[in-house]
Amino acid sequence: MKLDTSELDNFIDEEAIWDIVNRNAVQDPVRIRDILDKAGEAKGLDLAEAACLLQVEDPELNEAIADAARRIKHAIYGNRIVLFAPLYVTNECSNRCVYCGFKETNTELIRRTLTSEELKREVAVLEDLGHKRLLLVYGEHPKFGADWIAETVRTVYETVSEKSGEIRRVNINCAPLDVEGFRTLHEVGIGTYQCFQETYHTKTYADLHPTGHKKHFLWRLHAMHRAMEAGIDDVGMGALLGLYDYRFDTIALLAHAAELESRFGVGPHTLSFPRLEPALNAELAFNPPHALTDAQFKRLVAVLRLAVPFTGLILSTREGRAMRRELLDLGVSQLSAGSRTYPGAYTDPEYDRPDVQQFCVGDNRSLDEVIREIVQHGYIPSWCTACYRLGRTGEEFMKLAKNGFIQEFCRPNALLTFNEYLQDYASHATRELAEPFVRAEVANGPEKGRQVLMERLSRIEQGERDLYF
Ligand code: SAM
Ligand code: SF4
């Protein structure tokens, strides 16, 4: 059945969301334990249950929530973590999002749009560091329509660096397009289409997005419907935390996910929960009107892990090192690393300064340093793109994920891609640390498939690349 997106309304009923938040503010330990028991079976949570856990203040119950999230994370995702880098293609923007350094009124920001040659150079630098998955990021400007964005995606896929690096999955974070525009992106082979609603509270949204195309709340709210209608199976959603009450925006985000699931049979592939960070000439970002404490933020991530156990949770370098490490255990399944948030900043040191970035980055370490810490923490870094390339996306992926597929396929694929990284890109220190780690992971992993995995790992050591299950 074809979906007529022009007939969609605001399915986020604000009164109903507030009602759910308020009715579940009372803390009944028996109910909380019951909810955690249900969450432990990886069945997810309804909105009322999520709202209840989100507001738990008791330290012991909070620890029980964190514990449940760690167990679900481990049971479903094991100890692998997917890595990617953002690549900013243009910071030209005709919107005036009050909190963003790229807003049109920020005349101090040097505007830059990468040419095809500059884009290739940025990609080659990221490839030479070992990246295989990129998130392309764009300001919104009438100059840059779907065809132009598609061309940049094509350029990225076609760029192969000297060290035999290639980008195997290009995800996109750009302003919402119409169905035709999304179809153009789908045809050029994007992975996930990502777009954050920022806040689901319409009055706050209107205040913070006064002009430009982005002021149309519903156009943005229906973006994922249009993307899915156009055949993009994997969509990534999020809320920018700090703009409005985090309890409202978290429950609304889950309601948005539930709406997609009921309409398309599959919810979002990933969720993001960026916290507002200081940005050039964006006063509001220095003093978020609804800042969350670290404790509230960690609980939010744990609750998302329990509420949508099979949905990827993405963490950017907005957060600092210690927080990133903790959230890894609580539920995050994808991390960006070594990020720069200015077009050209990977190749041109002139643009690698904190004052020109879109927002302040909290973790400035290189990819190799991040990897070393991940391994020390017992995780396998992964650049696997097998599912996307074998058509295991959307509903198909979710079906497999619910049947233990992640442990059976994703884990060996993580080890294969990590071994490629160790052969081609790792520093001496990382290799010394990681080689025994990989051997131990193979020896201590499931016996089923071990022989084939060992054989493929040694084929990689002999020079073969891009092997996956
Ligand atoms: N221009 C497109 C849009 O607005 O959807 C995509 C690119 S925009 C750079 C990507 C995201 O950055 C936004 O959706 C917003 O959530 C986030 N962002 C903007 N300003 C930020 C800030 N000061 N701190 C943290 N994240 C911010
Ligand atoms: Fe432009 Fe996006 Fe920044 Fe808004 S958030 S000013 S649309 S780049």
Side-chain angles (χ1 to χ4, degrees), residues 21-300:
V21 170
N22 292 330
R23 270 190 298 112
N24 289 284
V26 183
Q27 302 184 5
D28 169 4
V30 176
R31 178 165 177 239
I32 292 164
R33 297 271 178 202
D34 282 350
I35 296 174
L36 289 177
D37 284 347
K38 176 185 164 191
E41 293 168 31
K43 289 188 179 146
L45 301 176
D46 64 28
L47 299 185
E49 291 162 341
C52 174
L53 295 190
L54 209 50
Q55 301 180 82
V56 168
E57 292 291 347
D58 176 79
E60 213 175 294
L61 290 170
N62 250 317
E63 194 37 47
I65 295 174
D67 226 39
R70 283 187 208 106
R71 268 184 274 122
I72 283 289
K73 162 84 198 288
H74 190 74
I76 295 175
Y77 297 87
N79 61 342
R80 49 180 267 294
I81 181 84
V82 170
L83 293 171
F84 72 97
L87 198 174
Y88 281 64
V89 185
T90 177
N91 63 9
E92 293 190 68
C93 192
S94 55
N95 290 317
R96 297 184 183 181
C97 310
V98 173
Y99 46 82
C100 180
F102 290 176
K103 63 184 165 188
E104 190 182 34
T105 45
N106 185 5
T107 47
E108 258 184 87
L109 183 83
I110 303 162
R111 301 289 164 174
R112 191 161 188 221
T113 296
L114 299 180
T115 63
S116 172
E117 283 313 307
E118 286 166 343
L119 178 58
K120 284 182 196 162
R121 281 206 294 276
E122 290 272 290
V123 174
V125 164
L126 289 165
E127 285 174 345
D128 285 348
L129 292 171
H131 282 289
K132 303 286 181 222
R133 304 167 68 109
L134 295 185
L135 173 69
L136 303 189
V137 185
Y138 309 77
E140 179 171 19
H141 199 283
K143 283 196 289 191
F144 310 123
D147 289 336
W148 182 83
I149 294 175
E151 193 49 44
T152 60
V153 173
R154 227 175 270 124
T155 303
V156 173
Y157 278 131
E158 284 167 7
T159 304
V160 177
S161 84
E162 276 172 22
K163 275 196 200 170
S164 81
E166 84 254 316
I167 298 303
R168 297 175 185 160
R169 179 169 172 132
V170 176
N171 298 330
I172 294 280
N173 183 322
C174 69
L177 303 168
D178 58 15
V179 176
E180 212 36 60
F182 279 128
R183 208 166 277 132
T184 305
L185 292 192
H186 181 49
E187 279 161 11
V188 82
I190 67 160
T192 306
Y193 169 66
Q194 183 187 69
C195 179
F196 307 148
Q197 188 60 32
E198 320 300 12
T199 175
Y200 288 88
H201 187 251
T202 47
K203 162 86 173 67
T204 308
Y205 187 94
D207 291 346
L208 298 175
H209 307 97
T211 59
H213 210 210
K214 193 161 166 180
K215 78 174 184 193
H216 302 291
F217 178 87
L218 287 183
W219 177 252
R220 197 167 181 91
L221 186 67
H222 301 155
M224 299 312 172
H225 291 73
R226 293 195 300 278
M228 289 174 108
E229 175 71 14
I232 297 174
D233 282 346
D234 290 350
V235 297
M237 313 191 315
L240 182 54
L241 300 169
L243 300 178
Y244 188 60
D245 190 299
Y246 75 94
R247 297 166 306 166
F248 177 93
D249 272 331
T250 307
I251 300 305
L253 179 65
L254 290 172
H256 191 174
E259 149 70 22
L260 292 183
E261 176 135 24
S262 72
R263 203 177 280 270
F264 295 98
V266 62
H269 188 62
T270 55
L271 292 182
S272 299
F273 27 85
R275 279 202 287 189
L276 206 51
E277 288 295 328
L280 181 67
N281 288 333
E283 211 177 292
L284 183 107
F286 289 85
N287 280 306
H290 293 272
L292 296 80
T293 63
D294 284 354
Q296 289 167 335
F297 185 54
K298 284 184 229 171
R299 187 163 59 234
L300 184 157

